[in-house]
Amino acid sequence: MKSDDELLELVRRDLSLAELLWEVCEFDLTRGDHVETVRLSSGHALEGIAGDFTGGTFLPLR
């Protein structure tokens, strides 16, 4: 089984897969930035990996 990072890299390299994810769940790799820093209660900052059509951000669970 591949790690989350490996799967995300596969999506970034495969334009047809990235397009499918956009069409099915609005997973937009070009919009991974978030307006403000998102932190867990532990203080660990999360980096966005993609955006959606409502302006939301997909964040990794780590």
Side-chain angles (χ1 to χ4, degrees):
M1 180 170 211
K2 297 194 180 289
S3 72
D4 292 346
D5 291 331
E6 290 172 314
L7 291 173
L8 187 56
E9 187 58 32
L10 286 172
V11 173
R12 287 184 175 136
R13 289 183 183 181
D14 186 335
L15 295 179
S16 62
L17 180 54
E19 184 177 319
L20 175 64
L21 286 171
W22 165 249
E23 290 173 3
V24 173
C25 58
E26 287 94 16
F27 188 86
D28 184 355
L29 289 170
T30 66
R31 296 186 42 250
D33 57 330
H34 193 72
V35 176
E36 53 195 41
T37 302
V38 177
R39 295 190 181 279
L40 298 174
S41 60
S42 67
H44 180 75
L46 297 176
E47 294 182 26
I49 56 173
D52 70 11
F53 76 104
T54 66
T57 305
F58 288 93
L59 301 166
L61 296 176
R62 295 182 190 219

